[in-house]
Amino acid sequence: MSRQLVLISLFAFVTATAVAQNTNSSTTSRPRATGTNTNRSADPPKPKVTQQAPKTPPTARTAPAKPKGVTAQAAQAPGADTVLAAFERLLIGIRKADVKAVSGVYWNSPSLILFNNNGTVTRGWEQMRKNRESSYPDIKDVKLEVRDLAVTMLGRDGAVIDCLWTQSQTYKDVPETATGRMTLVFKRVGKDWKAVHLHTSPDKQDPSRVLPSEQPASPAASPTPVPNP
């Protein structure tokens, strides 16, 4: 009898414990998984947009002045601009009868040679400068124009300029005018172009200075018409 009571008591205890566990179990359910990834990292920070101050446009380079009468071929020759700029300084110096400006274009060397328009020869930079110092004070109102100007580049350090020229001026109060041809040889000396040789001659030569074999042929005489009988 006592054994039955013990078993009944044990069964009642086990049943009560199971009911208590079911009653005290957590009612909190785990959230249902969705298709959204809740573990994704935060969006990367957007780059800062900085407005740059507008750049100052580069200063426009001024092209060297070109003498009037420059041919298209001369203007397009590579490196010809700097040679023409030196030649233009020479023309400006002559128009102003400026000894310093003219002398500065020529090669400062005893080897400088100028074949002048009057047939004489000037040798050396010092003699060229002295000749101009002697004549320029008496020259005024110079007008010098060139035409048919062409430049031939001889590599990187040499160039030849040739042209026709017309010059009018007043020398010792007497007006005078001349025309001729001119060839100038330039050489790069350091960073500058210097004229190392000049050759000028009249474009209308004095017949007395020309060999008979080189005289221009005279036009053939027209036959005298024969009258009809």
Side-chain angles (χ1 to χ4, degrees), residues 199-218:
H199 191 141
T200 58
S201 61
D203 56 350
K204 295 179 181 180
Q205 190 61 265
D206 181 358
S208 64
R209 299 172 59 184
V210 180
L211 294 173
S213 59
E214 294 181 352
Q215 293 283 355
S218 57

Side-chain angles (χ1 to χ4, degrees), residues 94-95 139-145 165-171 174-179:
I94 295 173
R95 291 172 186 136
I139 297 176
K140 302 185 185 309
D141 303 324
V142 180
K143 293 180 177 60
L144 173 60
E145 299 297 334
W165 56 267
T166 299
Q167 181 169 338
S168 63
Q169 61 192 23
T170 301
Y171 180 69
V174 178
E176 54 186 16
T177 302
T179 60

Side-chain angles (χ1 to χ4, degrees), residues 182-198:
M182 173 167 54
T183 299
L184 274 163
V185 180
F186 280 86
K187 180 176 76 171
R188 191 192 298 273
V189 179
K191 295 182 179 180
D192 300 320
W193 285 95
K194 298 294 183 180
V196 299
H197 177 64
L198 167 70

Side-chain angles (χ1 to χ4, degrees), residues 94-133:
I94 295 173
R95 291 172 186 136
K96 295 182 177 180
D98 187 331
V99 176
K100 183 177 180 180
V102 171
S103 301
V105 177
Y106 284 102
W107 184 31
N108 191 342
S109 168
S111 298
L112 175 68
I113 298 179
L114 285 71
F115 293 160
N116 303 306
N117 191 57
N118 60 2
T120 62
V121 179
T122 301
R123 299 182 182 276
W125 186 86
E126 286 291 343
Q127 187 61 52
M128 177 275 302
R129 181 179 59 82
K130 290 178 181 179
N131 291 350
R132 280 151 180 75
E133 286 178 342

Side-chain angles (χ1 to χ4, degrees), residues 4 10 25 34 121 124 135 144 211 228:
Q4 291 178 347
L10 180 59
S25 62
T34 64
V121 179
S135 62
L144 173 60
L211 294 173
N228 293 328

